[in-house]
């Protein structure tokens, strides 16, 4: 099939910042694209050949959109899988496959899948409601502290809470949920796996993630992770096992815990380009967005090695600010060597909303981390 400068059409469900960055690669290769997103001002609206506003969870909307493309992919998991299944039955190539996406969409199914496939993960129990979980705690079947997770619709720290007191359960949503054992860990790691329909598979280097203590969002992504070669090899092996078990096509970001005994436990996965791979735009031979494109189009996968060490800093809305966005002191960080800001195109900021990221590259990872700290302390995402 001729993908380039032709009538071939790639459909993308979601036009957020991931869609916007993916579209940069489709423009590079002159691949025709259609994008569906619920927001009229979605960041990806300008980068595609056709933008359609619509509900990603509505069967008919997703089905009608998919009928007009040759290959359909996603930049967000929360889409109508039933529509994807019907499209796949009718001959549309859908990547990641609906069967895998259905498992990943629900954290309960995802954790059960790990257990069934002998993939190491924290112990857990699934509950149909908040009341059922409260009763299990009252009966002594679940021991505090633990991690509460909603099985659906969590993102960027939303849908995850640490329960340290019984009273903390009053502040969680009344929905199907997981009670997960708290893991004493020394690092949170991630590995991105790329896989195409021919079965070619590659992994990116292991990255280390540092989280904001209040928002439970990633603040820094450090590549390469500051871990031993043995632990890195173990993390990549586990990530490959997950991708192989799911038989995923496209990218799969596997988030993991490194315990104090250097064991690797899978936390959760994302079947798309991921925050932990943004550093690759500046630092890798093949960035994650081009790689996702290569994978879903069944093209040869690119080299995943890094050309240079990198640290990514997330730009999120400052606490206490809401409204038209201002990137205060952005000129100061642009004057720093090896610093590249990415602005996602969201006009409105609010506390902890992802508004962009900054990549810092350096031959020395320690120097890159030092510069990243200066960037974090300098730039502020505020409102007028």
């Amino acid at each position: 099939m001729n993908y380039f400068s032709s009538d071939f059409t790639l459909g993308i469900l979601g036009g957020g910042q991931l869609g916007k960055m993916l579209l940069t690669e489709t423009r590079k290769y002159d691949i025709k694209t259609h994008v569906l997103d619920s927001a009229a001002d979605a960041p990806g609206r300008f980068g595609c050949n056709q933008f359609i506003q619509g509900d990603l969870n509505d069967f008919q909307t997703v089905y009608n959109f998919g009928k007009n493309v040759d290959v359909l992919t996603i930049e967000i998991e929360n889409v109508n899988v039933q529509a994807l299944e019907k499209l796949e039955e009718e001959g549309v190539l859908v990547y990641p496959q609906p069967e895998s996406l259905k498992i990943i969409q629900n954290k309960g199914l995802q954790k059960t899948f790990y257990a069934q496939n002998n993939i190491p993960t924290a112990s857990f129990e699934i509950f149909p409601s908040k009341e059922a979980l409260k009763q299990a705690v009252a009966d002594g079947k679940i021991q505090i502290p633990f991690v509460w997770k909603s099985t659906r619709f969590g993102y960027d720290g939303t849908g995850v809470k640490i329960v340290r007191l019984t009273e903390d359960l009053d502040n969680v949503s009344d929905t199907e949920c997981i009670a997960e054992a708290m893991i004493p860990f020394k690092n949170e790691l991630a590995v991105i796996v790329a896989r195409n329909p021919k079965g070619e598979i590659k992994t990116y280097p292991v990255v280390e993630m540092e989280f904001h203590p209040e928002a439970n969002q990633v603040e820094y992504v450090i590549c390469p992770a500051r871990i031993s070669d043995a632990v890195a090899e173990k993390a990549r092996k586990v990530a490959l096992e997950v991708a192989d078990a799911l038989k995923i096509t496209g990218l799969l970001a596997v988030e993991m815990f490194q315990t104090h005994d250097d064991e690797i436990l899978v936390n959760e996965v994302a079947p798309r380009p991921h925050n932990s791979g943004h550093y690759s735009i500046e630092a890798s031979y093949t960035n994650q967005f081009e790689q996702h494109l290569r994978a879903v189009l069944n093209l040869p996968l690119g080299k995943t090695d890094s050309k240079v060490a990198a640290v990514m800093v997330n730009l999120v809305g400052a606490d206490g600010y809401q409204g038209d966005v201002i990137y205060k002191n952005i000129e100061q960080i642009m004057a720093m060597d090896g610093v590249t800001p990415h602005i996602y195109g969201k006009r409105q900021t609010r506390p902890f909303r992802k508004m962009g990221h900054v990549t810092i590259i350096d031959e020395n990872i320690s120097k890159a981390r030092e510069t990243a700290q200066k960037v974090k302390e300098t730039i502020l995402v505020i409102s007028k």
Side-chain angles (χ1 to χ4, degrees), residues 301-318:
L301 297 181
K303 185 175 180 178
T304 56
D305 293 354
S306 295
K307 295 180 281 188
V308 66
V311 177
M312 186 213 72
V313 180
N314 269 329
L315 294 182
V316 301

Side-chain angles (χ1 to χ4, degrees), residues 75-93:
E75 65 106 55
I76 186 170
E77 294 96 311
N78 292 323
V79 300
N80 191 294
V81 174
Q82 290 72 33
L84 300 185
E85 289 174 329
K86 185 168 177 57
L87 288 165
E88 190 176 54
E89 287 173 8
E90 295 178 2
V92 178
L93 297 176

Side-chain angles (χ1 to χ4, degrees), residues 189-193 202-208 221-225 227 232 235-236 256 276-277 279-280 283-284 286 303-308:
L189 309 173
V191 175
I192 291 177
V193 182
K202 292 189 177 184
T203 63
Y204 279 82
V206 185
V207 302
E208 178 184 346
V221 172
I222 301 165
C223 183
I227 56 177
R236 290 175 101 157
M256 296 168 276
S276 66
Y279 75 91
S280 65
S284 301
T286 308
K303 185 175 180 178
T304 56
D305 293 354
S306 295
K307 295 180 281 188
V308 66

Side-chain angles (χ1 to χ4, degrees), residues 19-33:
K20 178 188 177 188
M21 289 183 274
L22 181 60
L23 288 164
T24 299
E25 303 305 316
T26 64
R27 298 290 286 245
K28 182 171 75 179
Y29 286 120
D30 194 29
I31 295 171
K32 182 180 173 185
T33 52

Side-chain angles (χ1 to χ4, degrees), residues 334-348:
M334 291 176 75
M336 299 177 186
D337 290 341
V339 173
T340 304
H342 293 257
I343 304 302
Y344 293 159
K346 301 172 184 178
R347 298 293 184 90
Q348 298 290 306

Side-chain angles (χ1 to χ4, degrees), residues 92-211:
V92 178
L93 297 176
V94 181
Y95 301 126
Q97 297 87 332
E99 183 180 3
S100 301
L101 189 56
K102 189 184 294 185
I103 295 168
I104 294 168
Q105 277 185 342
N106 185 297
K107 286 187 172 69
L109 294 178
Q110 195 181 136
K111 293 284 286 188
T112 301
F113 180 85
Y114 300 152
Q116 291 172 341
N117 286 273
N118 297 314
I119 293 165
T121 191
S123 60
F124 68 98
E125 193 165 339
I126 303 170
F127 295 91
S129 66
K130 177 164 69 174
E131 288 307 313
L133 173 56
K134 278 186 168 182
Q135 190 61 54
V137 171
D139 293 342
K141 295 177 181 177
I142 298 293
Q143 301 297 315
I144 290 175
F146 62 85
V147 180
W148 173 91
K149 292 182 179 181
S150 171
T151 59
R152 293 296 308 273
F153 307 117
Y155 68 97
D156 292 345
T158 301
V160 179
K161 293 185 185 296
I162 297 176
V163 177
R164 292 188 172 90
L165 302 168
T166 305
E167 293 75 27
D168 291 340
L169 289 171
D170 294 333
N171 299 317
V172 303
S173 302
D174 188 11
T175 184
E176 183 185 56
C177 59
I178 297 170
E180 185 177 278
M182 284 188 68
I183 300 299
F185 60 86
K186 57 183 176 184
N187 279 311
E188 293 198 52
L189 309 173
V191 175
I192 291 177
V193 182
R195 187 174 181 272
N196 66 19
K198 287 183 287 196
E200 186 182 4
I201 191 164
K202 292 189 177 184
T203 63
Y204 279 82
V206 185
V207 302
E208 178 184 346
M209 300 183 292
E210 296 181 9
F211 280 74

